[in-house]
Amino acid sequence: SQELEQSPQSLIVQEGKNLTINCTSSKTLYGLYWYKQKYGEGLIFLMMLQKGGEEKSHEKITAKLDEKKQQSSLHITASQPSHAGIYLCGALTHGSSNTGKLIFGQGTTLQVKP
Amino acid sequence: DTGVSQDPRHKITKRGQNVTFRCDPISEHNRLYWYRQTLGQGPEFLTYFQNEAQLEKSRLLSDRFSAERPKGSFSTLEIQRTEQGDSAMYLCASPPGLPNHGELFFGEGSRLTVL
């Protein structure tokens, strides 16, 4: 099984709707990163969470970290077509926190219908 | 633009040929990572450099793969005797400071298609 599981794998929402993407780790988290990727392009950094209970926002995107559950969620409010893309969570876990090596989930593909 | 440059952006080659990808990280970043991403999957770690020293290699990096960072600046990833299974996006990343501090900047990637 995957070390980092994202759900759902894909999502289609109507413009203006809210949505949540989840990322669950099977190992203790030392840091959780969220990225966005357009098809065929590199990863764009969105947010980094390090402490349990931490919550960060950027424009209409909010990410939270539940350290005890080893989970993070990414919430988009009032989605727009510009939010479409692949959302990836990456984690620093035991053994990788010293090197900074991230383990990634498989990604969540978001489509926003106008 | 994250400041991490990769070249070429796209490479189509025939099975059995050698290919080389180059990554130019943000100049003051001493750590550099290579990842591979196949369609529908998240990036998978390949290897990691601290300055010119290659400190960690994934089991994904078979003997046909070699990475270098000769002067601790740019890095190259070479694949010898390419196979169709090597078709993927090869991503380079560099972070600004200590591990677990700050962003990990990714380049736009080099997409390899092996025919």
Side-chain angles (χ1 to χ4, degrees):
Chain A
S1 63
Q2 287 264 10
E3 195 169 316
L4 210 57
E5 290 274 357
Q6 284 187 238
S7 62
Q9 288 191 4
S10 64
L11 199 51
I12 303 173
V13 300
Q14 202 68 38
E15 183 177 357
K17 296 293 185 185
N18 302 337
L19 64 107
T20 299
I21 298 168
N22 294 302
C23 176
T24 303
S25 174
S26 59
K27 296 186 177 181
T28 302
L29 291 170
Y30 289 81
L32 194 290
Y33 294 63
W34 283 100
Y35 288 86
K36 181 184 175 185
Q37 185 179 33
K38 295 279 192 182
Y39 178 75
E41 299 181 10
L43 279 65
I44 303 299
F45 174 84
L46 295 176
M47 274 168 280
M48 180 187 74
L49 305 164
Q50 288 183 270
K51 300 174 185 175
E54 189 172 11
E55 181 174 321
K56 288 189 177 177
S57 293
H58 175 67
E59 297 178 343
K60 293 185 178 180
I61 302 176
T62 300
K64 298 179 187 180
L65 179 63
D66 186 331
E67 207 170 38
K68 287 182 182 176
K69 290 184 180 177
Q70 296 174 180
Q71 247 178 18
S72 177
S73 59
L74 186 84
H75 184 78
I76 299 177
T77 304
S79 58
Q80 299 167 359
S82 60
H83 287 127
I86 302 166
Y87 289 83
L88 290 152
C89 64
L92 289 173
T93 60
H94 179 67
S96 71
S97 57
N98 289 334
T99 63
K101 175 180 80 178
L102 293 183
I103 307 299
F104 283 91
Q106 76 273 36
T108 296
T109 302
L110 171 65
Q111 294 180 51
V112 180
K113 288 188 170 181
Chain B
D1 182 8
T2 62
V4 180
S5 301
Q6 291 190 245
D7 183 70
R9 291 287 311 277
H10 303 277
K11 178 73 176 178
I12 300 173
T13 191
K14 292 182 179 178
R15 189 177 53 187
Q17 298 295 306
N18 298 345
V19 296
T20 300
F21 301 116
R22 175 179 170 126
C23 171
D24 286 273
I26 298 169
S27 59
E28 61 269 23
H29 293 192
N30 56 15
R31 289 181 292 130
L32 185 149
Y33 303 82
W34 283 99
Y35 284 81
R36 181 175 72 183
Q37 186 179 26
T38 52
L39 202 62
Q41 300 297 317
E44 297 172 295
F45 170 79
L46 289 179
T47 190
Y48 156 61
F49 287 88
Q50 174 91 25
N51 298 313
E52 66 274 10
Q54 188 174 19
L55 297 184
E56 187 173 344
K57 289 169 63 173
S58 162
R59 285 173 291 179
L60 292 174
L61 220 61
S62 75
D63 291 345
R64 296 184 298 105
F65 287 72
S66 62
E68 293 182 344
R69 196 181 182 198
K71 296 181 180 178
S73 56
F74 73 90
S75 177
T76 57
L77 177 69
E78 182 184 14
I79 309 173
Q80 295 182 327
R81 305 181 303 281
T82 52
E83 301 173 357
Q84 288 184 327
D86 297 332
S87 295
M89 174 79 90
Y90 291 85
L91 294 159
C92 173
S94 69
L98 292 172
N100 209 18
H101 287 79
E103 307 175 16
L104 190 63
F105 295 97
F106 279 84
E108 291 290 342
S110 292
R111 180 169 293 283
L112 173 65
T113 302
V114 181
L115 302 176

